[in-house]
Amino acid sequence: MLCLFGVVLTASWFPFPGDPKNVSPPLHGQKMSWLLALSVLVSWVQVRGVPAGLKAQVNQKGLDYGHQFGLRMVTSMLRKNPIPDIYGNHNVPLLGDVQFSVTRIQINDLQLGDSAISFSKGLGVNLTVANGYVLLSANWKLRTVFGPDGGTADIRVHQLSLSTLLGLGKEVTGQPRVWAARCRATIGDISLKFHGGNSWFYNRFTSVLEMLLQSKLNKQLCFELKKGVDDIAPVLHAMNVSTRIDSFAELDYSFVSRPVFGVDRCHVDLKGEFFTPGQPRANVFTPSPFVLPQQPGSMFLLGISEFFANSAASAYFFAGVLRKNYTDEMIPKGFPFHLNTDDVGMLIPELEKAFPDMPLQVLVGARKPPALSFYPDGVHATVFGSIEVCVVLPNRNLVPAFLLNIDGNFTGQFFLRPVSSGTSLGKLSGLVALKHFQVYQGWSNIGDVKVEFLENALKVGVQLGLLAVNQHLKKGVLLPNIHNISLVNPQITVYQGLMLVATDLHYELPADL
């Protein structure tokens, strides 16, 4: 009986090693590893700068908030998730070989008492639980030399105390790594109560069983906790450290250094690089070291570097997204302007003189990736574009006519607003302005192209386009919800070479928890 109920209590907290169905980490390892990985991904604190595309920091306020909903989630999952049935045999004096089974194990009550979580400087995260209480119920069956017997049982655990230090690091491949660096666990009191069958007989010996069970579990709890943490390791090792944005870009957010822990906060440096799937990485940019400004009032800080923004621009450039061919067939017939030498010749007379009444094909694209930089007055973007005009001959062959280069400088200011619906991370709004616009000839097969009139026309077109963009940004763009997380009091501040997002977080527990 000691062995039987010792296994029951242990299995309620950790996976039972003999059950082949328990091949995932404890407490539904996928969900728990996500919570653990999230707590690692939102870490930051050292003074020196490390080359990285993204930096994230969480302080004690954020850790305490994560602790609250983490406990609620763990408690809910422990109560709802089934505990495996237990079967075995044990040699008992006077009774001989006893075959037993424990089925329909349930946690009826779970109170983690006084619990706290804190950072341990240079090491990881301390978790302590004091005065914990667990009530379990189960059906039991025995087969002895006297025949079968069975009933139900209640197990009450009082004064459960746990203190553990979780170390957090990184794998060579950039995934997070976790281990139990230190553990102390004790159970102050256990009470057993048997019901049904010959329970009147077993209840006479509960004091002896309780004492033996308490001694055995006090020796096993830390071993099982470390084993449970070790079971998370394969899940973290297999965790993706990149995500596909679309068919043209993928984001690498692997760790570039191990998380660094201070007294009241921790941080992690992430690669934060976009790349084109299936193509060699261009390595056009190299991340520069940068340091997050301190914002002590916010749970979470996210630092976005110029490297992060420019790698996105580079990925889409090399994917060919920033180039597009236009032909006259793409323009509605009733439209007053068409891609032919007659209409375009009103802007560039040299074209109509060289090729009268001919259709055109126009290639509009970027000559090189846009350049993005951060300054206190906002985000600056320099666009290097070109327009290549070809004449379409009757046999459909193309004759290159000329190429114009177009350079534009834009500035943008962006704001984050929380949303109350809980279906979005937040709402992004902003304002984009044109600061400089220039058109000049790259090459020409029709003589010098006078671009002044065309430059003014294109500039007006860009300004009209920005009016539509700013109307859209004024209304705001809803950011997709990420794992039921939304922003609370978010603020964007742009510094030299750095964009900082400072915010509190709100997590909505899933409806099934």
Side-chain angles (χ1 to χ4, degrees):
M1 300 301 292
L2 169 65
C3 175
L4 186 155
F5 285 103
V7 174
V8 170
L9 183 60
T10 303
S12 70
W13 285 85
F14 308 100
F16 186 64
D19 189 339
K21 292 182 286 186
N22 274 289
V23 294
S24 61
L27 310 183
H28 281 207
Q30 297 289 347
K31 292 182 180 179
M32 295 308 299
S33 61
W34 153 247
L35 289 175
L36 181 61
L38 180 62
S39 68
V40 176
L41 286 172
V42 295
S43 322
W44 188 78
V45 66
Q46 68 193 73
V47 176
R48 65 181 176 85
V50 173
L54 294 172
K55 289 177 182 283
Q57 170 182 302
V58 64
N59 60 17
Q60 186 63 46
K61 178 182 176 183
L63 191 64
D64 289 339
Y65 179 75
H67 175 230
Q68 293 175 22
F69 73 74
L71 287 180
R72 289 166 57 196
M73 178 173 284
V74 169
T75 302
S76 178
M77 287 194 298
L78 277 172
R79 287 178 175 176
K80 290 185 176 182
N81 295 337
I83 299 174
D85 296 337
I86 300 172
Y87 302 89
N89 59 76
H90 191 72
N91 190 272
V92 179
L94 301 179
L95 297 178
D97 189 52
V98 177
Q99 296 179 357
F100 64 84
S101 66
V102 182
T103 58
R104 302 187 66 181
I105 306 168
Q106 291 183 337
I107 297 178
N108 298 325
D109 194 12
L110 173 64
Q111 301 174 16
L112 296 183
D114 303 322
S115 61
I117 191 168
S118 61
F119 296 111
S120 177
K121 185 175 182 180
L123 296 173
V125 176
N126 279 314
L127 174 64
T128 59
V129 175
N131 299 318
Y133 169 77
V134 186
L135 170 62
L136 301 104
S137 64
N139 294 344
W140 59 271
K141 289 183 180 180
L142 297 177
R143 181 173 292 276
T144 68
V145 293
F146 301 108
D149 199 359
T152 62
D154 296 326
I155 312 167
R156 299 177 187 269
V157 176
H158 301 271
Q159 299 174 22
L160 171 67
S161 298
L162 171 69
S163 175
T164 184
L165 170 64
L166 293 179
L168 298 171
K170 71 173 282 285
E171 300 280 3
V172 176
T173 50
Q175 286 90 351
R177 184 168 67 93
V178 62
W179 65 94
R182 184 175 64 237
C183 176
R184 288 183 303 171
T186 58
I187 293 175
D189 183 50
I190 290 180
S191 61
L192 305 177
K193 182 72 172 179
F194 301 99
H195 307 280
N198 293 314
S199 56
W200 61 270
F201 175 75
Y202 302 126
N203 284 330
R204 293 176 180 270
F205 304 99
T206 53
S207 59
V208 176
L209 293 173
E210 289 162 357
M211 184 171 55
L212 293 175
L213 179 58
Q214 181 179 342
S215 174
K216 185 176 181 67
L217 288 177
N218 281 335
K219 295 177 182 178
Q220 285 292 112
L221 282 175
C222 278
F223 171 80
E224 293 294 343
L225 183 141
K226 290 179 179 179
K227 183 178 180 300
V229 173
D230 289 342
D231 285 340
I232 298 176
V235 178
L236 294 179
H237 182 73
M239 188 177 74
N240 287 331
V241 288
S242 66
T243 184
R244 180 70 69 92
I245 305 300
D246 50 34
S247 58
F248 308 107
E250 192 165 337
L251 173 62
D252 182 339
Y253 51 85
S254 58
F255 287 22
V256 297
S257 61
R258 61 170 296 175
V260 180
F261 294 86
V263 176
D264 60 351
R265 67 195 71 175
C266 66
H267 92 260
V268 70
D269 300 305
L270 306 176
K271 191 161 190 178
E273 180 182 13
F274 289 87
F275 60 95
T276 305
Q279 293 188 15
R281 302 213 183 173
N283 293 323
V284 177
F285 308 99
T286 300
S288 300
F290 71 97
V291 177
L292 287 181
Q294 293 305 304
Q295 297 277 355
S298 299
M299 292 181 185
F300 176 68
L301 301 181
L302 177 65
I304 302 171
S305 71
E306 292 177 349
F307 169 81
F308 175 85
N310 283 303
S311 71
S314 177
Y316 283 102
F317 173 80
F318 287 105
V321 178
L322 305 183
R323 296 175 63 85
K324 187 172 179 61
N325 268 316
Y326 293 92
T327 63
D328 192 55
E329 289 80 4
M330 301 168 64
I331 299 176
K333 291 184 178 181
F335 197 73
F337 187 88
H338 283 265
L339 287 181
N340 56 54
T341 57
D342 290 345
D343 288 357
V344 177
M346 291 186 294
L347 301 174
I348 304 174
E350 298 84 358
L351 181 62
E352 185 180 14
K353 291 177 183 178
F355 297 95
D357 195 24
M358 300 287 285
L360 298 174
Q361 178 175 292
V362 178
L363 174 61
V364 180
R367 306 194 311 273
K368 56 183 179 178
L372 301 167
S373 53
F374 298 146
Y375 293 94
D377 65 340
V379 179
H380 291 213
T382 302
V383 178
F384 309 96
S386 67
I387 298 178
E388 182 179 356
V389 177
C390 295
V391 177
V392 183
L393 298 179
N395 61 4
R396 308 304 295 175
N397 287 338
L398 299 179
V399 177
F402 61 88
L403 181 140
L404 301 179
N405 292 325
I406 302 174
D407 294 342
N409 294 99
F410 301 83
T411 60
Q413 294 180 327
F414 300 96
F415 312 94
L416 269 176
R417 300 198 303 269
V419 292
S420 57
S421 64
T423 59
S424 171
L425 184 66
K427 182 176 283 189
L428 178 68
S429 59
L431 179 67
V432 180
L434 176 66
K435 292 300 183 183
H436 176 72
F437 189 82
Q438 181 183 14
V439 179
Y440 56 96
Q441 180 180 299
W443 51 261
S444 174
N445 292 325
I446 58 173
D448 289 338
V449 177
K450 298 179 177 61
V451 300
E452 291 80 4
F453 184 71
L454 178 62
E455 179 179 281
N456 291 330
L458 290 175
K459 188 174 182 179
V460 170
V462 171
Q463 295 282 18
L464 291 174
L466 286 179
L467 285 176
V469 170
N470 286 326
Q471 283 291 333
H472 189 59
L473 286 175
K474 185 178 180 180
K475 295 178 181 177
V477 179
L478 288 175
L479 301 177
N481 184 281
I482 302 176
H483 296 283
N484 296 328
I485 296 174
S486 56
L487 306 181
V488 178
N489 300 323
Q491 183 179 5
I492 295 179
T493 307
V494 183
Y495 299 88
Q496 179 81 36
L498 164 69
M499 179 185 290
L500 180 70
V501 179
T503 185
D504 288 345
L505 301 174
H506 174 73
Y507 177 73
E508 194 73 32
L509 277 173
D512 58 343
L513 291 179

